Amino acid sequence: MRKMDTAAGNDTLERLADVIAQRRASGTAETSYVARLFAKGTDAMLKKVGEEATEVVMAAKDGAPKAIVAEVADLWFHTMLVLAAFELRPADVLAELERREGLSGLEEFAARKAQAREQDET
């Protein structure tokens, strides 16, 4: 597999986010898949995220690397639609991943659990 530098990956996601925003704003349901999903609403986008996540699982169970990459690309795309629906950008997700960098998964889980308890107490 070729390695992509981080900046190029971030740029790709940001460019895609820009295309999604443009098609959301000016596309029509007849000519744009993005506009069609936005017209159908968040539930339609969430359904697509669920479908694509299932397809990732199936491709991985089959051990099919090319299919895994294709299905993850579909999952990321549909997840980006959900981000856009809530006025979020890839940079928001990347910032969260950067915040978590260097933490063990168990530490991160414990911190989120403690934070949830604190919120429940207030």
Side-chain angles (χ1 to χ4, degrees):
M1 286 265 152
R2 72 183 169 108
K3 182 176 166 108
M4 180 183 292
D5 70 69
T6 304
N10 294 353
D11 289 347
T12 300
L13 293 174
E14 284 300 322
R15 283 193 312 274
L16 179 56
D18 289 342
V19 169
I20 289 168
Q22 184 272 326
R23 291 187 182 158
R24 177 185 187 187
S26 62
T28 66
E30 294 77 33
T31 61
S32 167
Y33 177 71
V34 170
R36 184 178 310 148
L37 276 179
F38 274 99
K40 289 182 177 181
T42 307
D43 284 349
M45 288 179 243
L46 296 174
K47 181 178 178 184
K48 285 301 295 180
V49 168
E51 290 171 7
E52 298 302 340
T54 299
E55 291 173 9
V56 169
V57 170
M58 291 171 19
K61 293 283 281 179
D62 291 343
K66 286 183 180 182
I68 293 168
V69 169
E71 296 303 343
V72 169
D74 290 346
L75 176 60
W76 285 13
F77 174 78
H78 288 91
T79 301
M80 287 182 64
L81 294 178
V82 173
L83 288 173
F86 291 93
E87 305 301 327
L88 297 167
R89 301 278 301 189
D92 297 308
V93 177
L94 294 171
E96 176 61 12
L97 290 172
E98 288 172 8
R99 184 191 69 76
R100 295 179 186 187
E101 190 174 2
L103 294 175
S104 82
L106 295 176
E107 289 172 345
E108 174 60 24
F109 178 73
R112 281 186 279 149
K113 196 171 181 181
Q115 184 179 24
R117 273 196 309 269
E118 288 173 12
Q119 289 176 348
D120 288 343
E121 293 172 0
T122 58

